[in-house]
Amino acid sequence: LLLTFDIMYLHSFNPACRSLAQNIYAKRKKTRNNNNNNKYGEGCIVLIADILGDSTGWAWHNREKYNIVRTSILVPDEDGERKRLQGRVRAALDAIQSQPGVDRERIGAMGYCLGGHPILELARMKNPCVKAMVTFHGVFDGVRGLSSVERSSGSGSGGNSGGSSDSSSTEGKDDAIVSSTDSTTTTKSCNNVLVCTGEDDPFIPTEDLDAAMEMFDDLGYRSEMIKFENTRHGFTNPAQDYNPSEAFAYSADACAKAWSAALSVLKRNVVS
């Protein structure tokens, strides 16, 4: 498997560990000497995975190769499965769970842009160790070609429609999250999925987004979506201010709100 990754040891969640691919967060195990000088004290261990296997940055300038590799990983086979993507996601999980000090039962994952695909695939794998998943301007092209999943018992109907919101409707609400279900009545799993997307993102058609949210719902997750008004693709990346394409733009406001919401989901399900 051509999977490249880096490992970071953090004493707290930090915006600096954002990636354009996929981040896998693991809760550190508690130790007897739990202080800031202890490498495996409270905090988290982060694996930053590149599912393309691009260790040199060729994907930014060799678009022909990028499209070939992307297609080979993301396009479903005749059975509607993406076995190569599953293998790389599984390799990322194995890599972080094998790190010293990791609590193997408390894993969280975040995906940026292309990282929307491994997050959805991770959800389809239904690994009980994965407690929370978040995407930022994650793309879901082609997900309608995936094999259907059996709706989990108790997942309810209409959970997706109740989980969508835009940034204008979140004022005064904790961390700008609007939950798709009432935690006092839901019978879904305790896992959480948060999707942060821009209303003006041309790379995420409504049909693909709806299909992804419906799949999260059918899999039995409590899915939430925040859709930010006047926000384009790549809104978490300040470098987009220098991108000449009108499809991209950094938004400090959307970035801050999305990151705050993500921290709440991860802390609630992985860290606490």
Side-chain angles (χ1 to χ4, degrees):
L1 292 174
L2 297 176
L3 178 78
T4 58
F5 61 86
D6 293 310
I7 297 289
M8 298 176 66
Y9 297 88
L10 305 176
H11 289 292
S12 63
F13 287 105
N14 188 317
C17 56
R18 298 173 188 174
S19 166
L20 293 178
Q22 181 187 22
N23 294 350
I24 307 289
Y25 288 80
K27 178 72 170 68
R28 290 182 181 177
K29 291 180 180 177
K30 292 185 177 180
T31 62
R32 293 180 181 178
N33 181 26
N34 204 4
N35 56 57
N36 288 338
N37 295 320
N38 181 12
K39 187 176 182 180
Y40 305 123
E42 282 277 35
C44 59
I45 298 174
V46 184
L47 181 143
I48 305 176
D50 178 1
I51 62 168
L52 291 178
D54 178 11
S55 61
T56 61
W58 52 258
W60 294 106
H61 54 81
N62 190 340
R63 302 306 288 178
E64 181 179 359
K65 180 179 180 180
Y66 167 80
N67 288 327
I68 292 173
V69 175
R70 188 186 196 279
T71 298
S72 70
I73 297 172
L74 299 184
V75 173
D77 61 21
E78 59 184 10
D79 297 321
E81 299 294 336
R82 302 188 289 190
K83 294 183 175 63
R84 293 193 69 184
L85 179 57
Q86 285 184 16
R88 296 185 182 207
V89 171
R90 190 172 293 110
L93 277 174
D94 290 344
I96 196 166
Q97 288 182 314
S98 68
Q99 299 301 309
V102 162
D103 185 340
R104 295 173 54 89
E105 305 300 319
R106 302 178 73 179
I107 305 294
M110 301 169 64
Y112 293 75
C113 189
L114 185 64
H117 283 288
I119 293 298
L120 182 60
E121 203 61 43
L122 185 58
R124 287 169 60 85
M125 294 163 66
K126 303 183 77 170
N127 188 315
C129 297
V130 180
K131 306 301 184 185
M133 290 166 278
V134 182
T135 70
F136 302 90
H137 40 87
V139 296
F140 299 106
D141 54 298
V143 299
R144 285 172 283 172
L146 295 174
S147 61
S148 59
V149 294
E150 184 178 350
R151 180 178 286 270
S152 298
S153 60
S155 64
S157 60
N160 177 32
S161 62
S164 176
S165 68
D166 59 47
S167 60
S168 64
S169 64
T170 59
E171 185 176 356
K173 293 185 174 141
D174 183 34
D175 294 315
I177 287 183
V178 176
S179 178
S180 61
T181 56
D182 183 346
S183 60
T184 62
T185 60
T186 183
T187 56
K188 290 187 180 183
S189 68
C190 63
N191 294 19
N192 249 336
V193 173
L194 173 65
V195 173
C196 301
T197 189
E199 190 176 66
D200 299 328
D201 192 328
F203 302 113
I204 310 177
T206 300
E207 295 81 4
D208 290 343
L209 188 59
D210 288 346
M213 295 301 291
E214 182 177 0
M215 188 167 292
F216 285 130
D217 190 64
D218 287 348
L219 286 164
Y221 295 97
R222 288 187 293 120
S223 59
E224 305 167 329
M225 178 171 64
I226 305 176
K227 184 176 288 188
F228 296 99
E229 292 182 337
N230 303 313
T231 303
R232 287 173 275 174
H233 194 67
F235 63 83
T236 64
N237 185 1
Q240 298 301 351
D241 282 346
Y242 303 96
N243 193 329
S245 172
E246 291 296 322
F248 298 83
Y250 171 62
S251 170
D253 181 64
C255 180
K257 289 179 178 178
W259 186 248
S260 177
L263 288 184
S264 290
V265 172
L266 290 170
K267 289 179 179 178
R268 183 170 65 245
N269 292 279
V270 181
V271 177
S272 61

